[in-house]
């Protein structure tokens, strides 16, 4: 057994308990009601980095929640790895669908996780995953295995668009200087088949408001005679896709880079069972853009999804009302080379243009980020691949993900370095959903694999 | 000054204060949280009928809220007027738009009501309006002016579809036997121009649920690859109207009675200013079915309006989620001779048929009722017209309303008598909306006018 395996076996219970403790803190960045909890979580992250062996840790003030920065510089001539993660979590609602309270973590066995999985909001995204790096770092420090310098940058606003992170990175380029950025905030194919995320989609997230009459109206007295904001909003949303599920916003696809036939053929080699996919989601069929298969639709193609809609009477029973206003939250996933700010503008212009007379429309941009691709011939990718191969006994597969980590593109622009996305989560972990969980196997395997990345990265960088 | 005018002048303050007291009871029938208040309001209604001079009053048990029944039979050979009203009210939300709390009534002056209006949920619909009948009855009893028998039937479930009323009426035909039914639960054109509602639209109210994946999903990892229930629901709702705003449900218009050119010309004579209408609602343009004008769209034509929609993340900030389920409350206003149960079936069948693969759809019928038309050559209509003419100094105009009082058709079927809709509300009273109010003028004028109806009805019936 290697040193790291021994160390993990020996400290396993403590590693799990430490994670359970931080999962109890409801650090929901989207909701101001939780602001003290987010601050408490920043403080807990700081303490964890100090305990793990950082020489210097601080909470860096930003216009929003603080960024936890820590470092251990052993030799300025050695490479520097910058670890990024986030200590904030998604809102837990709908609360009623959780089988155990989201901030009272418990370990339960599942079919995929016979050795147990930790159920809690943030278990996988991203507390469980960033904490693996803290524990892997602890191992390297305690056992004199740290082969290079390490910097940690753990933020508290990833789930609300990482606004302060951009502000911070722009102002601290020297402090954050590094050779490679290491992030565990994605998934892998399965516990038997590791994969490395080489592409991420960009994002444009907006909120729309449709206003009809200046007050709620009786649907009997006014129904049929005035524009009903809900009917109108539905119609406007419906019109954003054509019959082939192409997005109808003029100019939307102009900068989309189409993959070559060869690239698509390469993608198609990744193991995928449509039957299993449908069964896992309990759907009769998939649904999406004509001309692309499921694994293309959710990775190399841009999309438009409504993430929330609300208006009118939503309580028990019936109320015959025509609401004055209707609202929706809409996000678009983007691919290279779509520019998120340009897409937000195109959306806004189009949405305003299609509003019928009788309503007024307001589009409020929330946040966004660019898409990103990691070259698989980079030292970082190769080191990660060697680490997975040694740890899992099987080569990692490069995968383009449909998710967005907008700051990855920002890092490249501001810090001039590539991010390596070493995720250990699974699709079934239900991140952003009720009953989010993270396999105990995945957590411990992540801690074992990360020191191997450091080892191979420093070797390859020589 | 006539006797009734004197009586009203003398008891005005008491009449207003009595109404303010019952408006403080939040008798919201749609929400079980208010069930004790609804019961309290039934009790208060019983007491008011006793105090006004009924010989017999009782709370009649039903499968839902009780019906308050009261009567004064002075001579079995004289005609009997049955007064119908409802003591329940609409839910008050959205609460934040009320300028004063919905269940703390206050009198405030408005442009239309220089002598003041009572602001409270239920002020006009229907507490203020049914209570006029109680006070008019009090006057007739106190002053030996009651020319016939009176029965009161005040229910507590009008705002949730009057389910128990149907059950009650079917079982109590003898008890409820009458010559004419008198209802004040509608409006009139203005305080200078009284009108009598001669037509009502029917209603079919349903709730729909669209289920996609079996859990909320991350919109990055799944976006574009699965049917998003909100996008799908929007598309389905949008498809329910064509480009001319005709409803697309097959068979929907089959039984609609088209009005003749003459009838439409007669309707067009009612005073109406499109500019004023648009200004009052603060809309740039009206919106509706091609080929019909505003006053036709909201009275003689059937409609389909979404009354509520909800799904996904609706809190502050952004959440990148694909919801598992999306919901909407949808109501259709119907006209003669559409059958509401048939329309509910047609809707259900169509809505299920248009669901794309990848989602499941459930339609839950809430309630409904048939449309209704009162002949203007009936004794009841003529008596009402004479009463208004004497009270207001100007003849009442017959008007077809867009609203629904489903029980009016039920009364005709079960009790074989016509309902006379003597409403004293105004369109601007904001019923079903925040800041519902009822003019003090209208309330007192109603009390003055009602005894005249009794007088002329008994004269004409001889």
């Amino acid at each position: 057994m290697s040193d790291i395996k021994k160390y993990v076996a020996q400290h396993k219970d403590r590693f799990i308990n430490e994670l359970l403790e931080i999962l109890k803190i409801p650090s929901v960045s989207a909701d101001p009601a939780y602001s003290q909890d987010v601050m408490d979580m920043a403080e807990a992250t700081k303490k964890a980095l100090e305990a793990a062996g950082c020489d210097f840790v601080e909470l860096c003030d930003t216009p929003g929640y603080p960024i936890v920065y820590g470092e251990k510089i052993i030799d300025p001539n050695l490479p520097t790895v910058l670890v990024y993660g986030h200590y904030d979590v998604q809102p837990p609602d709908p609360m009623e669908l959780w089988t155990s309270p989201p901030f009272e973590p418990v370990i339960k066995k599942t079919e995929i996780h016979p050795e147990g999985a930790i159920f809690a909001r943030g278990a996988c995204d991203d507390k469980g995953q960033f904490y693996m790096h803290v524990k892997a770092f602890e191992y390297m420090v305690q056992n004199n295995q740290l082969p290079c310098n390490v910097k940690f940058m753990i933020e508290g606003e990833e789930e609300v668009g990482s606004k302060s992170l951009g502000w911070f990175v722009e102002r601290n380029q020297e402090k954050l200087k590094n050779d490679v950025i290491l992030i565990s905030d994605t998934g892998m194919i399965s516990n038997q088949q590791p994969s490395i995320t080489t592409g991420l989609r960009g994002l444009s997230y907006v909120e729309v408001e449709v206003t009809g009459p200046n007050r709620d109206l009786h649907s009997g007295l006014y129904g049929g005679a005035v524009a009903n904001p809900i009917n109108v909003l539905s119609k406007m949303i419906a019109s954003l896709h054509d019959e082939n599920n192409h997005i109808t916003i003029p100019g939307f696809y102009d900068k989309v880079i189409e993959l070559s036939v060869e690239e698509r053929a390469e993608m198609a080699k990744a193991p995928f069972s449509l039957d299993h996919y449908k069964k896992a989601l309990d759907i009769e069929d998939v649904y999406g853009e004509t001309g692309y298969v499921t694994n293309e639709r959710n990775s190399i193609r841009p999309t438009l999804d409504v993430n929330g809609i609300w208006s009118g009477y939503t309580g028990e029973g019936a109320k015959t009302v025509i609401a004055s206003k209707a609202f929706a939250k809409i996000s678009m996933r983007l691919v290279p080379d779509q520019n998120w700010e340009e897409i937000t503008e195109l959306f806004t212009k189009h949405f305003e243009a299609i509003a019928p007379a009788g309503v007024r429309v307001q589009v409020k941009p929330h946040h966004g980020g660019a898409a990103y691709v990691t070259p698989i011939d980079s030292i970082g990718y190769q080191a990660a691949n060697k680490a997975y191969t040694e740890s899992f006994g099987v080569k990692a597969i490069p995968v383009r993900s449909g998710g967005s980590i907008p700051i990855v593109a920002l890092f490249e622009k501001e810090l001039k370095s590539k991010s390596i996305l070493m995720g250990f989560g699974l699709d079934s972990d239900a991140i952003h959903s009720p009953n989010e969980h993270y396999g105990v196997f995945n957590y411990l395997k992540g801690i074992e694999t990360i020191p191997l990345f450091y080892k191979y990265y420093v070797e390859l960088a020589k």
Side-chain angles (χ1 to χ4, degrees), chain A residues 308-363:
Chain A
I309 192 165
W310 68 104
S311 173
Y313 185 66
T314 59
E316 274 210 46
K319 187 169 190 252
T320 48
V321 69
I322 294 179
S324 169
K325 287 174 187 286
F327 304 86
K329 293 182 195 264
I330 298 175
S331 67
M332 289 158 282
R333 296 284 166 172
L334 310 177
V335 300
D337 278 337
Q338 289 177 299
N339 173 305
W340 77 269
E341 279 153 324
E342 193 182 316
I343 291 291
T344 304
E345 263 184 58
L346 290 176
F347 177 91
T348 305
K349 213 173 127 190
H350 179 65
F351 208 72
E352 286 168 355
I354 60 175
V359 302
R360 278 162 292 143
V361 161
Q362 213 191 326
V363 179

Side-chain angles (χ1 to χ4, degrees), chain A residues 70-353:
Chain A
E71 62 173 36
K72 186 170 183 77
I73 307 297
I74 56 169
D75 180 349
N77 296 319
L78 285 171
T80 299
V81 174
L82 175 66
V83 175
Y84 163 84
H86 63 93
Y87 63 81
D88 64 324
V89 299
Q90 279 275 315
D93 34 338
M95 292 289 278
E96 66 275 14
L97 297 184
W98 284 80
T99 54
S100 57
F103 299 109
E104 298 174 22
V106 287
I107 298 177
K108 288 185 274 195
K109 290 181 181 177
T110 74
E111 208 176 316
I112 293 178
H113 298 290
E115 73 299 321
I118 301 163
F119 280 75
R121 171 56 84 230
C124 174
D125 180 16
D126 181 47
K127 286 178 181 174
Q129 293 218 67
F130 94 69
Y131 208 70
M132 297 180 314
H133 288 269
V134 181
K135 295 296 102 180
F137 171 68
E138 175 196 306
Y139 157 75
M140 292 187 285
V141 172
Q142 293 292 320
N143 296 273
N144 291 315
Q145 298 286 326
L146 186 66
C148 61
N149 306 307
V150 187
K151 294 174 178 175
F152 286 92
M153 174 169 63
I154 314 295
E155 69 148 322
E157 296 181 316
E158 199 272 345
E159 300 295 1
V160 290
S162 301
K163 266 182 202 149
S164 299
L165 186 73
W167 180 93
F168 179 74
V169 170
E170 282 165 27
R171 281 163 184 74
N172 291 279
Q173 294 177 330
E174 189 52 37
K175 178 183 202 143
L176 300 172
K177 210 172 163 216
N178 67 80
D179 296 277
V180 67
I181 298 168
L182 195 52
I183 305 178
S184 294
D185 195 18
T186 49
M188 56 182 186
I189 292 170
S190 74
N191 284 355
Q192 292 71 47
Q193 178 56 67
S195 56
I196 299 168
T197 303
T198 54
L200 289 168
R201 290 197 284 192
L203 181 74
S204 164
Y205 199 113
V206 299
E207 188 164 322
V208 300
E209 176 185 314
V210 173
T211 305
N214 52 6
R215 57 185 168 92
D216 286 1
L217 299 176
H218 186 292
S219 75
L221 305 181
Y222 290 91
V226 296
N228 174 330
I230 307 181
N231 289 64
V232 168
L233 176 59
S234 297
K235 209 168 167 171
M236 291 171 74
I237 290 170
S239 80
L240 296 174
H241 290 92
D242 69 14
E243 68 281 9
N244 293 312
N245 277 315
H246 289 303
I247 294 158
T248 58
I249 299 166
F252 186 82
Y253 291 98
D254 284 2
K255 298 199 176 158
V256 170
I257 295 179
E258 294 281 345
L259 265 67
S260 66
V261 176
E262 293 72 29
E263 283 172 304
R264 291 177 68 183
E266 193 58 35
M267 276 188 72
K269 289 181 186 162
F272 177 75
S273 156
L274 190 59
D275 277 348
H276 177 80
Y277 188 86
K278 291 193 285 189
K279 208 178 150 197
L281 300 176
D282 194 15
I283 52 177
E284 262 181 46
D285 209 349
V286 292
Y287 185 92
E289 194 180 359
T290 305
Y292 297 89
V293 297
T294 295
N295 276 346
E296 292 171 334
R297 287 168 173 171
N298 66 15
S299 64
I300 60 165
R301 297 300 297 169
T303 63
L304 184 151
D305 273 297
V306 185
N307 303 109
I309 192 165
W310 68 104
S311 173
Y313 185 66
T314 59
E316 274 210 46
K319 187 169 190 252
T320 48
V321 69
I322 294 179
S324 169
K325 287 174 187 286
F327 304 86
K329 293 182 195 264
I330 298 175
S331 67
M332 289 158 282
R333 296 284 166 172
L334 310 177
V335 300
D337 278 337
Q338 289 177 299
N339 173 305
W340 77 269
E341 279 153 324
E342 193 182 316
I343 291 291
T344 304
E345 263 184 58
L346 290 176
F347 177 91
T348 305
K349 213 173 127 190
H350 179 65
F351 208 72
E352 286 168 355

